[in-house]
Amino acid sequence: MKLIIVFVALSMIASLGLASDPSPLQDFCVADDYSKVFVNGKVCKDPMLATANDFFYDGLDKPDNTSTPLGSVVTSVNVMQMPRLNTLGIDFVPGGKNPPHTHPLGTEILTEGTLYVDFVTSNPENLLISKTLNKGDVFVFPQGLIHFQQNVGYGNSVAIVGLSSQNLGVITIATAVFGADPPISDVVLAKAFQIDKKLVDKLQASFWMDTN
């Protein structure tokens, strides 16, 4: 009986240890986008076929188009753009913001720029943790928590972001709630947000963009 208990306990510990992205068991695992095998992640291509371009991404030194309703744009570099990230910047105009969103699969670390940032802890506390960052400062957004960034400086700002997952996922709150397809019941949303149903209908009819 004692052996069974120990085995169960060790099994639970092992399952907890595998809750995040797996650690590499070889030098690298360059993603093979043409494989017909389906796994949780990407299949490795033959390491002998790897090239320098699998480990390289350019373009982050060039300002992207910030002519958006939000005044910001996210340039993603994940496993889809850089195959080597298998198993392993944001631009803001003055006043530009990256709307409240969450990353269900990874932690985010942000640096550079003059930005007001915050995140909200989970229920029931819903504590707002906020800080104004300047060049060289670093701020961590815990995995899964809703967070937000806004340029509060007088010039354009560039944020450099490090992420703990090869593809951390993103849910932009307003887009997910009011831009769902097909739409969430306006009666449900009106009651959930304690607002008039006509306002919900107006919000659902709006154009919802996602900069992430």
Side-chain angles (χ1 to χ4, degrees):
M1 185 64 180
K2 291 182 179 179
L3 291 175
I4 294 175
I5 294 173
V6 171
F7 176 75
V8 172
L10 288 175
S11 299
M12 293 176 66
I13 293 171
S15 63
L16 291 174
L18 296 174
S20 60
D21 286 357
S23 298
L25 298 177
Q26 52 201 34
D27 286 347
F28 52 80
C29 175
V30 175
D32 182 357
D33 290 327
Y34 301 101
S35 174
K36 300 299 182 182
V37 178
F38 293 95
V39 297
N40 184 23
K42 294 277 189 177
V43 173
C44 307
K45 75 178 184 182
D46 186 339
M48 297 302 295
L49 301 178
T51 67
N53 284 335
D54 292 326
F55 301 80
F56 173 79
Y57 182 88
D58 64 351
L60 292 181
D61 61 324
K62 303 175 183 66
D64 211 331
N65 178 24
T66 52
S67 300
T68 67
L70 298 172
S72 69
V73 64
V74 174
T75 303
S76 296
V77 185
N78 56 32
V79 69
M80 304 306 293
Q81 289 81 30
M82 193 173 178
R84 165 57 191 99
L85 291 179
N86 197 33
T87 69
L88 274 178
I90 310 175
D91 301 320
F92 298 84
V93 297
K97 57 188 68 67
N98 193 11
H101 62 281
T102 178
H103 301 293
L105 306 178
T107 300
E108 177 177 341
I109 299 177
L110 182 144
T111 182
E112 291 291 337
T114 303
L115 296 171
Y116 170 77
V117 302
D118 65 39
F119 67 84
V120 181
T121 63
S122 55
N123 299 345
E125 292 81 9
N126 299 124
L127 179 65
L128 178 69
I129 306 293
S130 61
K131 184 78 174 175
T132 298
L133 306 182
N134 295 299
K135 186 174 182 178
D137 293 342
V138 176
F139 195 83
V140 177
F141 301 97
Q143 179 175 339
L145 297 185
I146 296 173
H147 55 282
F148 167 88
Q149 301 105 22
Q150 180 175 13
N151 182 359
V152 293
Y154 296 101
N156 287 9
S157 180
V158 176
I160 301 172
V161 180
L163 307 167
S164 67
S165 174
Q166 60 180 315
N167 190 10
L168 76 169
V170 60
I171 301 172
T172 303
I173 308 304
T175 303
V177 172
F178 296 106
D181 184 19
I184 300 173
S185 166
D186 53 3
V187 175
V188 171
L189 293 181
K191 183 166 291 187
F193 287 93
Q194 296 294 293
I195 58 177
D196 186 82
K197 180 174 169 292
K198 291 182 179 178
L199 178 56
V200 173
D201 294 337
K202 180 180 178 180
L203 290 170
Q204 289 184 320
S206 301
F207 170 72
W208 291 98
M209 69 168 296
D210 191 353
T211 61
N212 293 275

